[in-house]
């Protein structure tokens, strides 16, 4: 619709355009033919130079929506055409927008105003790096006058609002896309931060100050309140800015050892609390000018007015003021003079005394809220405490309040939280109430104060008063958790909460509890012991008389809490005994009386009772057993035969704190190898075996036992050592081999158990014994499979459900064993796989319709090959590869051209999913084979036997690719695996690629083309990588006078133009005309350069075509110049080295900025 | 250890038993199960507890392998369920008769003429079209609990 273009537009034409747009806007609102209306509006935005028409609409239209669309069109057109607008035009567009909002300051259509203001901000940013300082000044002069109130309250409000849009435009996380590289946004951000941000803050402050008195003096709501609220919001926004250029504090200058006040970035990662670190330049405006005093005074005055009409606790100005106050609590960094934190302490004390009224006295505040007062002020008070905690240490935090109260801040925190927990206990609902939120904020505050910061693992040692406070709140927390637990039994809806889910949901909360408990460990451990023994007694006495469910649930909770208090999660490492537990029990001499030993022993003794079938039936419900197993896993990871046991007397022998060392040693050695360790280990293994045998069908419980507990045990060598000598472990292994009950474990557990048992073989004396052990474990499974596959009537027998079940079970076990292969047991695992090679192929044949079994077979082979390939000698490699190829061919012959027929769409889509999973496994198999070229531990080189991995992998790909349809590539994981394999092999073995036959070649090229247009950034990246590899290989070969990709490059049959020219065309098309992420440009440049070099003639022709298509002579010459400088500027040469790639990236970036704007709309 | 140890009373004679008992907890997704006397493929298994401290039970969602209907069942996970014996055999498709029966070539060279084509238009056309185009088709016939049906077909190359 070129009609919107306003070259020499007359009034009539402008009016008709306006009417068209108005009609379109109205019809969208009435929902009459919205598609056509949208197209009309879009055509306005896309027509060249629509500014006059848009301005006309803005100024004259009575339809607010039309004005909105008009200014949106200005934005789109200006951003697109920016590079060829004159400087004059650019500035006049911005001025127009600014003037428009000022003139219409009192307009009721706020959204139009907001849009115009944001468009002004975006255009200003677009030109930010080109405008001179004087030009910017000119804009800002107008804004400043407005903000300072020269033109009345409405204009003042608009001015503040404009700055708000401007700042959010300049802040990278909220900026709008402009089709420019990231550096542009970064430069704008830096420039604004260094040159303008503080000035804006001054203006905002002055605007607020100018109206403060009027607001305080008046009892009614006056228009000035709006200005003040906006100014407060703007200040908050500025303080939320992510300050980067803290001028004189480079990170190095921070004294990391100063314990007084935390400055560094380490504290920022502890919570989501944003730290405000504007740097020393801001000291005058924020600190020394009495700004905070004014703010607190303003809020105090507002509090008095809450009874007045128009003011209430949550009225906008009160909310903004409180938010700003909380934000001030996060102020830290080099803005404070380096005077040992005095200045920051004063600042925080000032804030705290202002905030105190919101939360103190806690009981009165919480009562008022329960009686209906709004809770937001109290919650903001909690948030302020959290912020203060974030920027201080617990010591400074505690001291703050002592200046004005007889107790420390920790005590206040504890009483406040006790009140909150009390409320939480009395109205125990599932809804999220204010007490939930307050509890979470306060818990975060504790966590931040107590979490060990310096990486030494040392817990903060609280002063006695603080310790008391921690003990109090922990007792309260336990009480409330127990109450929640026993109450939850009654509402029996929890049939979906599994232990794992509930633990991970609660995990964060529980670890905060643990931190609090550890701060007063000598009080809290005995408390937990008491709670446990009370419940043990209750169970014992009430057996058969009272329903134990409530007690069971309480024990469940206690086990979770205690597990967290006593031990940390390993996260893959071996966790140490928490420092507080190591050091805080000074006067304990006898190990048996160590509170931690007493608590642990009582739980273990309780757990042991589960071995008695009668007790098990009445007490140890599956759920309680889950908690027991979880606890035992966590506990034994830390305490059972700890590694430190042997070291502790060496490293600390000379320490003067003999007492503490003694108790530490007593604790560590009590469950050590030479003390009770073996006995406890034996108990744990017996309990584990029992849960696997005596809780049939309890998958979750058995899963915990296999994945968590047993797995933890075999992770440590010294424990493996003991394990293999235990009778109980032998019993477990025997049960694994012979007991039918264990064949019934679920597949993942089956696998994990096999893996665990094989891993425990590392505890045996030598490799010979370990291999023998593994053979003993697995020989029954392999023999079974061999015998089965040798049966004459295999085909009919195999289909029986019971046979399918046994086969599946054994395959899972083989897979588990295969994934446990270590150098020490590699031989036995290798032989295990070799012995079932033939059966595997036979089973692949007979189960070809039984997708579940096929998948198990494939996964077993994948894991086995993955574990073995790097160890294999040449001969073995050849036979394994041969086997894999037979497997691939067999699989392919069963599946190619197969169509499932079913009435059920679910079954059809299941069939597709199964196929996808199979193919993914096959791709993994090929990837594993690839890795033989990279990691190889064998003694002889594989080339000796003439196995060429690249050919093998291409051959494999040849078999697999026909099965991978474009339809299947819609599965993200498969797509990902496929393209990463493809880009890897094209990068490493391009020469083999050239030898593929034309069908396979065409198929792979087809998928590359598909991948190039994929939505997933990474997939496109990998395809570009593959293209780069191919094209640069070809180009280098050509330069060396060889054929490179030969006939494939030249094109034939289906692709007359050859693959490189084809990809050159499609990549150019993508870059110039389609949507993609700016992050792709570098990768695309790296692929484009060799493509251009390969096909220079084609490139010239494509370029000319593009230029010819351009009708507008001005654009035509711009395009021609831009294309010319793509290949000529920056001294680009025709080599493929790093420097040249870099230059080309730059060139491509400038080309895209230059021409994409107008090319895309043509 | 001989394989007899793993069998529940099974005779080697395939098809002698239509169903086998199997513990509910061991039945996985993609396996088979009998729900309301119909052979089903399991498309979803979830476990839950009866009451907080009760025992686990399995919730199965199955699709009837013949008529595609969805069926559900809840079974304590330590109890046994029936698992159907699902057999599949490949035959070469020789002819499609006017009355909707197919003629199939068995492995030992006999023909099997008692199988009707599916009634569903869509499925029917998939088979008929392929056959009409002169492709050499192998059909897979699935049988369980006394019913049988064509469940897949595969093109093994054109007749020439």
């Amino acid at each position: 619709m070129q009609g919107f273009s306003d070259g020499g537009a007359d009034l009539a034409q402008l009016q008709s355009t306006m009417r068209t747009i108005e009609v379109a806007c109205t019809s969208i609102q009435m929902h009459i033919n919205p598609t056509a209306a949208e197209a009309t509006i879009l055509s306005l935005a896309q027509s060249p130079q629509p500014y006059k028409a848009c301005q006309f609409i803005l100024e004259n239209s009575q339809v607010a929506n039309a004005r909105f669309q008009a200014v949106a069109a200005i934005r789109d057109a200006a951003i697109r055409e920016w590079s060829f607008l004159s400087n004059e035009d650019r500035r006049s567009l911005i001025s127009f927008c600014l003037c428009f909002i000022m003139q219409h300051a009192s307009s009721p259509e706020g959204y139009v105003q907001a849009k115009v203001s944001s468009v002004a901000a975006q255009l200003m940013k677009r030109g930010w790096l080109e405008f001179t300082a004087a030009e910017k000044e000119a804009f800002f002069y107008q804004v400043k006058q407005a903000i300072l109130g020269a033109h009345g309250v409405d204009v003042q409000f608009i001015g503040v609002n404009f700055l708000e849009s401007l700042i959010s435009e300049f802040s990278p996380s909220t900026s709008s896309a402009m089709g420019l590289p990231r550096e542009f946004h970064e430069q704008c951000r830096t420039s604004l931060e260094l040159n303008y941000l503080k000035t804006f803050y001054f203006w905002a402050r002055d605007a607020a100050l100018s109206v403060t008195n009027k607001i305080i003096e008046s009892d009614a709501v006056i228009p000035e309140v709006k200005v003040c609220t906006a100014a407060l919001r703007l200040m908050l926004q500025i303080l939320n800015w992510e300050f980067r250029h803290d001028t004189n504090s480079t990170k190095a200058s921070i004294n990391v050892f100063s314990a007084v006040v935390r400055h560094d970035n380490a504290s920022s990662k502890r919570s989501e609390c944003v730290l405000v670190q504007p740097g020393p330049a801001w000291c005058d405006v924020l600190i020394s000018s009495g700004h905070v005093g004014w703010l607190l005074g303003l809020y105090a005055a507002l509090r008095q007015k809450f009874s007045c009409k128009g003011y209430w606790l949550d009225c906008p100005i009160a909310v903004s003021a409180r938010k700003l106050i909380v934000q001030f609590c996060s102020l830290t960094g080099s803005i404070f003079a380096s005077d040992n934190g005095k200045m920051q302490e004063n600042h925080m004390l000032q804030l705290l005394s202002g905030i105190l009224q919101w939360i103190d006295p806690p009981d009165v505040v919480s009562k008022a809220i329960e009686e209906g007062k709004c809770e937001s002020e109290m919650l903001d008070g909690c948030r302020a405490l959290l912020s203060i905690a974030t920027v201080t240490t617990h010591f400074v935090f505690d001291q703050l309040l002592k200046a004005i109260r007889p107790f420390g801040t920790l005590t206040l925190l504890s009483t406040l939280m006790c009140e909150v927990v009390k409320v939480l206990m009395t109205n125990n609902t599932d809804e999220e109430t204010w007490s939930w939120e307050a509890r979470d904020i306060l818990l975060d505050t504790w966590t931040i104060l107590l979490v060990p910061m310096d990486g030494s693992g040392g817990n903060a040692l609280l002063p006695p008063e603080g310790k008391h406070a921690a003990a109090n709140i922990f007792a309260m927390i336990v009480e409330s958790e127990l109450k929640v637990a026993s109450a939850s039994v009654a509402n029996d809806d929890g049939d979906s909460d599994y232990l794992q889910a509930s633990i991970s949901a609660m995990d964060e909360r529980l670890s905060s509890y643990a931190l609090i408990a550890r701060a007063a460990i000598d009080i809290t451990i005995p408390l937990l012991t008491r709670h446990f023994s009370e419940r043990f007694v209750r169970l014992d006495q009430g057996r058969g008389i009272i329903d134990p469910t409530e007690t069971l649930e309480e024990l469940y909770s206690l086990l979770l809490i205690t597990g967290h208090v006593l031990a940390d999660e390993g996260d893959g490492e071996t966790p140490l005994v928490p420092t507080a537990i190591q050091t805080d029990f000074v006067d304990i001499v006898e190990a048996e009386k160590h509170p931690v030993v007493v608590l642990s022993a009582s739980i273990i003794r309780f757990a042991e009772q589960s071995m008695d079938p009668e007790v098990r039936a009445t007490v140890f419900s599956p759920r309680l057993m889950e908690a027991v197993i979880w606890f035992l896993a966590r506990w034994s990871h830390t305490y059972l035969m700890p590694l430190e046991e042997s070291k502790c007397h060496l490293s600390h022998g000379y320490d003067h704190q003999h007492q503490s060392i003694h108790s530490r040693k007593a604790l560590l050695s009590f469950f050590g190898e030479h003390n009770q360790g073996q006995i406890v280990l034996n108990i744990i293994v017996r309990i584990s075996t029992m849960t696997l045998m005596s809780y049939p069908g309890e998958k979750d419980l058995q899963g915990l036992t296999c994945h968590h507990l047993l797995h933890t045990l075999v992770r440590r060598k010294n424990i493996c050592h003991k394990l293999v000598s235990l009778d109980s472990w032998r019993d477990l292994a025997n049960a694994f081999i012979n007991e039918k009950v264990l064949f019934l474990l679920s597949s993942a557990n089956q696998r994990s158990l096999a893996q665990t048992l094989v891993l425990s073989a590392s505890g045996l004396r030598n490799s010979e014994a370990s291999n023998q052990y593994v053979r003993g474990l697995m020989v029954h499974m392999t023999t079974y499979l061999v015998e089965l596959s040798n049966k004459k009537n295999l085909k009919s027998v195999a289909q029986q459900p019971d046979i399918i079940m046994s086969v599946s079970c054994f395959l899972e076990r083989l897979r588990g064993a295969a994934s446990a292969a270590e150098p020490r047991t590699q031989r036995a695992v290798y032989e295990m796989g070799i012995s079932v090679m033939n059966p595997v192929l036979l089973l692949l044949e007979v189960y070809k319709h039984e997708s579940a079994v096929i998948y198990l077979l494939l996964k077993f082979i994948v894991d086995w090959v993955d574990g073995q390939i790097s160890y294999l000698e040449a001969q073995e490699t050849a036979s394994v590869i041969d086997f894999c190829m037979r497997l691939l061919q067999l699989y392919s012959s069963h599946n190619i051209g197969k169509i499932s027929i079913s009435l059920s769409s679910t079954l059809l889509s299941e069939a597709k999913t199964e196929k996808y999973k199979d193919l993914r496994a096959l791709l993994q198999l090929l990837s594993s084979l690839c890795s033989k070229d990279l990691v190889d531990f064998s003694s002889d080189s594989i080339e000796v036997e003439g196995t060429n991995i690249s050919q093998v992998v291409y051959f494999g790909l040849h078999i697999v690719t026909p099965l991978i349809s474009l339809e299947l590539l819609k599965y993200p994981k498969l797509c990902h695996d496929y393209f990463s394999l493809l880009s890897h092999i094209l990068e490493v073995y391009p020469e083999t690629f050239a030898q593929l036959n034309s069908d396979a070649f065409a198929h792979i090229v087809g998928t590359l083309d598909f991948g190039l247009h994929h939505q997933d950034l990474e997939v496109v990246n990998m395809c570009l990588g593959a293209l780069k590899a191919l094209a640069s290989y070809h180009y280098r070969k050509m330069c060396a006078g060889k054929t490179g990709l030969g006939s494939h490059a030249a094109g034939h049959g289906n692709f007359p133009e050859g693959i490189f020219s084809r990809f050159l065309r499609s990549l150019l098309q993508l870059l110039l005309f389609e949507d993609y992420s700016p992050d792709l440009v570098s990768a695309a440049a790296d692929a484009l350069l060799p493509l251009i070099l390969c096909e220079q003639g084609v490139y010239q022709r494509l370029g000319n075509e593009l230029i010819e298509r351009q009708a507008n002579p001005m654009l035509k010459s711009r395009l021609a110049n831009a294309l010319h400088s793509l290949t000529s500027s920056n001294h680009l040469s025709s080599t493929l080295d790093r420097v040249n790639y870099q230059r080309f990236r730059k060139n491509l970036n400038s080309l895209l900025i230059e021409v994409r704007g107008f090319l895309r709309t043509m | 250890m001989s394989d007899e140890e793993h069998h529940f009373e099974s005779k080697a004679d395939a098809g002698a038993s239509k169903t086998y008992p199997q513990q509910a907890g061991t039945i996985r997704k993609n396996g088979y199960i009998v729900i309301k006397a119909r052979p089903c493929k399991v498309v979803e298994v979830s476990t839950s507890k009866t009451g907080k401290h009760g025992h686990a039970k399995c919730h199965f969602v199955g699709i009837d392998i013949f008529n595609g209907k969805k069926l559900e069942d809840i079974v304590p996970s330590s109890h046994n369920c029936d698992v159907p014996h699902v057999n599949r055999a490949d035959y070469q498709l020789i002819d499609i008769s006017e009355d909707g029966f197919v003629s199939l070539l068995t492995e030992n060279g006999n023909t099997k003429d008692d199988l009707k084509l599916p009634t569903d238009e869509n499925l029917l056309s998939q088979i008929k079209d392929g056959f009409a185009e002169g492709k050499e088709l192998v059909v897979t016939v699935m049988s369980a609990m006394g019913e049988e049906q064509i469940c897949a077909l595969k093109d093994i190359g054109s007749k020439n």
Side-chain angles (χ1 to χ4, degrees), chain A residues 488 498 553 621 626 697-699 740 743-744 747 795 803 805 848-850 893-894 899 901 914, chain B residues 3 5-7 20 22 25-26 28-30 32 47 49 52-53 56 77 90 107 151-154:
Chain A
S488 74
Y498 315 124
E553 192 56 26
S621 70
E626 282 167 27
E698 299 293 342
K699 274 187 215 172
K740 276 186 193 157
F743 297 160
L744 300 178
S747 45
K795 216 168 168 185
I803 302 290
M805 197 181 96
K848 62 182 176 190
H849 298 302
E850 210 55 71
S893 74
H894 292 154
I899 304 169
I901 296 176
E914 282 156 8
Chain B
D3 51 71
E5 281 179 50
H6 307 304
H7 296 185
Y20 287 75
Q22 192 174 320
T26 65
R28 323 142 204 250
K29 187 173 183 266
N30 291 337
Y32 297 99
T47 46
K49 286 193 167 66
K52 234 179 188 160
H53 288 270
S77 68
D90 289 348
E107 254 179 12
C151 71
L153 78 161
K154 194 164 171 307

Side-chain angles (χ1 to χ4, degrees), chain A residues 556-612:
Chain A
Y556 177 89
S557 257
L558 275 176
L559 282 168
L560 294 195
I561 295 175
T562 311
H564 278 87
V565 174
L566 286 184
D568 290 318
E569 168 140 45
D571 283 333
E573 305 292 328
T574 304
L576 300 180
V577 175
T579 325
I581 294 180
Q582 288 197 35
T583 55
D584 287 6
F585 296 97
V586 268
D587 46 357
I588 311 296
V589 192
E590 293 163 79
E592 291 85 358
K593 290 188 181 153
H594 195 296
V596 175
V597 172
V598 172
L599 177 58
S600 311
S602 81
I603 297 174
I604 292 168
R605 267 198 304 276
F606 172 68
E608 206 184 355
Q609 292 179 43
S610 65
M611 298 302 295
D612 179 344

Side-chain angles (χ1 to χ4, degrees), chain A residues 370-381:
Chain A
E370 281 301 283
E371 282 165 2
K373 191 185 166 198
C374 175
E375 72 273 8
S376 45
E377 191 183 54
M378 187 267 181
L379 288 178
D380 279 334

Side-chain angles (χ1 to χ4, degrees), chain A residues 465-477:
Chain A
E465 188 198 307
K467 199 163 158 178
H468 191 70
N472 275 347
I473 187 61
F474 183 72
M476 190 54 132
I477 287 169

Side-chain angles (χ1 to χ4, degrees), chain A residues 701-775:
Chain A
L701 172 59
Q702 289 162 345
L704 272 173
T705 310
C706 291
H707 293 284
H708 224 67
L709 180 53
L710 292 177
H711 214 79
T712 305
L713 293 182
V714 294
R715 242 179 20 201
R716 295 227 311 274
K717 193 104 191 208
N718 61 337
I719 296 188
C720 281
H721 234 67
K722 291 280 175 245
L723 273 180
V724 287
S725 67
L726 286 178
D727 280 341
S728 54
W729 192 253
R730 258 193 294 280
D731 292 344
L732 177 64
N734 275 331
F736 171 76
I737 297 168
N738 298 314
E739 285 288 343
K740 276 186 193 157
V741 190
L742 289 191
F743 297 160
L744 300 178
L745 292 180
S746 78
S747 45
N749 296 342
Q750 202 72 259
R751 209 156 60 220
S752 161
L753 186 57
Q755 193 185 18
T756 300
L757 286 166
V758 170
L759 282 175
S760 76
S762 68
L764 287 158
R765 300 181 306 285
N766 53 39
S767 171
E768 189 43 48
S770 303
N771 279 316
Q772 199 50 48
Y773 185 84
V774 174
R775 275 182 213 118

Side-chain angles (χ1 to χ4, degrees), chain A residues 193-194 242-251 253-254 263 276-282 332-336:
Chain A
E193 179 178 329
L194 291 179
E242 211 182 308
F243 292 95
R244 288 280 174 83
H245 296 270
D246 187 346
T247 41
N248 71 351
S249 95
T250 49
K251 293 291 173 213
S253 73
I254 295 166
H263 289 300
V276 185
Q277 311 185 77
W282 288 69
T332 187
S334 53
I335 184 171
F336 297 107

Side-chain angles (χ1 to χ4, degrees), chain A residues 133-163:
Chain A
E135 284 167 335
K136 288 184 215 168
E137 281 310 317
F139 294 130
F140 283 126
Y141 178 76
Q142 206 178 349
V143 178
K144 183 181 177 187
Q145 289 306 310
I147 291 181
L148 296 183
H151 308 293
V153 179
D154 283 335
V155 177
Q156 203 173 7
F157 175 74
I158 289 292
V160 176
N161 261 351
F162 169 71
L163 284 189

